[in-house]
Amino acid sequence: MRNIPSWIRVPVVFFIIFGLTEYVIDSGDEPAFIAEPLVSLFLLLVFLILVAIEAIVGALDNVLYQSLDAEAKARYDAKKEAPSKIACWFKKIYTKSLGQKPIEEEHDIILDHNYDGIKELDNDLPPWWLYGFYASIIFGVVYLARYHVFNGDTQFDELEAEIAQAKIDIEAYKKTAKDLVDFNTVTALTDAGDLNAGKSIFETNCVACHKADGGGGIGPNLTDKNWILGGGIKNVFKTISEGGRDGKGMIAWKQSLKPSEIAQVASYVLKFEGTTPAEPKASEGDIWVDETTSSEDNIETIEVKTDSVITTEDN
């Protein structure tokens, strides 16, 4: 077991203990170290103990080796099995990353300090630490120039930009996701495909009450300008979706139709206005006028009257 490198031995022993722990503790579908916090703490403690044992054993081996004389060291080295090429390569990389001298060359860096036979080595700083320190200095200079000299975008700026882009993406998604439409966002559809789909839905579900030409029967006439619950695409969409008046209006079709289908049939229903049905039903409700259109018409009328007055005064 001692001939196996510690970087292999420690993980193998740890995963054996880990597997036994999972086998003993029945935590259902989740792993034991997730379901039971104490288990994860136990496994962490086991791992740290294994690493500590390896470190202590390695340190003791080194101390014992250094305490031997030259002849004993030669006998000790002769008994050691030659490591594989892969193990030698890993050991070389590991030693190089630490910047340490091999044991055979440690006599060159031994300091004069000697306390009860304990000597101190003058090792250089590990290359990984030294290069990391230099990299942090370079990073600090670049960061200072980027954000404090040239006023680069901060995390708040990036967040605001991402939020703005997300809103744009949502609006673009809504245009393609027709079933996200609701009473507030619906618009009248003019595409022939949508109107044909609305006609098919109307003929399947609505003709029994409104007739095929929209003249009305059980339901109101759809060809005049009178509306019981308001006209326009938004009101018609809401009426179809939520249903008519309690107790005597039509049912709420949102249980049977998708929002996109309600938008299609609502757009088709608006096309009946101004047509002449065979047997029109008497008008019900109030005449509905689009306030937006009405306001624009009033503005045009005022402008026309103003022009007339100016022309009269000039004459």
Side-chain angles (χ1 to χ4, degrees):
M1 189 71 173
R2 289 298 301 166
N3 294 330
I4 302 175
S6 59
W7 57 273
I8 295 178
R9 184 168 56 247
V10 170
V12 168
V13 175
F14 173 77
F15 280 110
I16 290 174
I17 297 174
F18 177 85
L20 292 174
T21 304
E22 288 289 339
Y23 178 77
V24 172
I25 300 176
D26 184 9
S27 57
D29 295 334
E30 290 186 339
F33 71 94
I34 294 178
E36 301 291 341
L38 291 178
V39 174
S40 60
L41 185 62
F42 166 74
L43 292 173
L44 176 62
L45 182 62
V46 167
F47 179 77
L48 293 177
I49 290 174
L50 290 175
V51 173
I53 290 174
E54 287 295 327
I56 293 171
V57 171
L60 290 176
D61 285 344
N62 188 20
V63 170
L64 291 175
Y65 183 84
Q66 294 297 332
S67 65
L68 299 175
D69 55 22
E71 185 179 350
K73 286 182 179 179
R75 291 196 303 269
Y76 179 84
D77 293 337
K79 291 181 180 179
K80 292 175 63 177
E81 294 183 3
S84 64
K85 292 182 179 181
I86 296 178
C88 290
W89 183 81
F90 273 108
K91 185 176 181 181
K92 181 180 178 181
I93 296 297
Y94 176 73
T95 304
K96 189 175 182 180
S97 68
L98 295 179
Q100 294 179 341
K101 293 276 188 180
I103 294 177
E104 295 81 5
E105 301 177 15
E106 284 186 349
H107 61 276
D108 296 332
I109 57 174
I110 293 179
L111 297 176
D112 295 335
H113 305 156
N114 190 333
Y115 301 99
D116 296 332
I118 300 175
K119 298 180 180 181
E120 184 178 356
L121 300 178
D122 187 19
N123 281 310
D124 295 330
L125 288 172
W128 64 267
W129 190 96
L130 198 59
Y131 296 147
F133 178 68
Y134 292 150
S136 66
I137 294 175
I138 296 172
F139 174 81
V141 172
V142 174
Y143 185 91
L144 180 67
R146 177 73 174 86
Y147 294 102
H148 295 278
V149 177
F150 298 105
N151 297 321
D153 292 340
T154 64
Q155 290 181 333
F156 292 104
D157 297 327
E158 292 175 358
L159 176 62
E160 291 176 357
E162 290 178 0
I163 291 175
Q165 183 60 44
K167 290 180 179 179
I168 295 173
D169 294 341
I170 290 173
E171 293 302 321
Y173 174 73
K174 285 181 177 179
K175 292 179 180 179
T176 57
K178 295 183 178 180
D179 282 328
L180 290 180
V181 68
D182 59 14
F183 164 69
N184 296 309
T185 60
V186 66
T187 56
L189 304 176
T190 57
D191 183 73
D194 289 322
L195 294 177
N196 289 333
K199 179 180 179 181
S200 176
I201 297 170
F202 183 87
E203 291 176 349
T204 302
N205 302 289
C206 310
V207 293
C209 296
H210 296 282
K211 293 186 178 179
D213 57 6
I218 299 175
N221 187 347
L222 301 177
T223 63
D224 55 27
K225 294 185 177 182
N226 294 62
W227 294 89
I228 298 173
L229 297 175
I233 186 63
K234 294 183 182 295
N235 290 319
V236 174
F237 179 96
K238 185 177 181 181
T239 302
I240 297 173
S241 176
E242 304 298 329
R245 295 166 293 176
D246 293 337
K248 54 183 177 180
M250 72 175 179
I251 63 172
W253 286 98
K254 64 182 179 181
Q255 309 296 337
S256 305
L257 301 176
K258 297 178 180 178
S260 59
E261 294 174 329
I262 296 177
Q264 290 170 339
V265 71
S267 299
Y268 176 73
V269 165
L270 293 179
K271 295 296 181 181
F272 282 120
E273 185 174 338
T275 61
T276 304
E279 298 177 353
K281 184 179 179 181
S283 299
E284 298 179 75
D286 302 319
I287 295 177
W288 187 84
V289 179
D290 190 341
E291 294 180 357
T292 304
T293 305
S294 177
S295 299
E296 292 176 352
D297 291 342
N298 290 337
I299 292 172
E300 292 176 356
T301 303
I302 293 172
E303 289 177 350
V304 171
K305 289 181 179 179
T306 304
D307 292 341
S308 300
V309 172
I310 294 173
T311 304
T312 303
E313 291 178 352
D314 290 342
N315 293 335

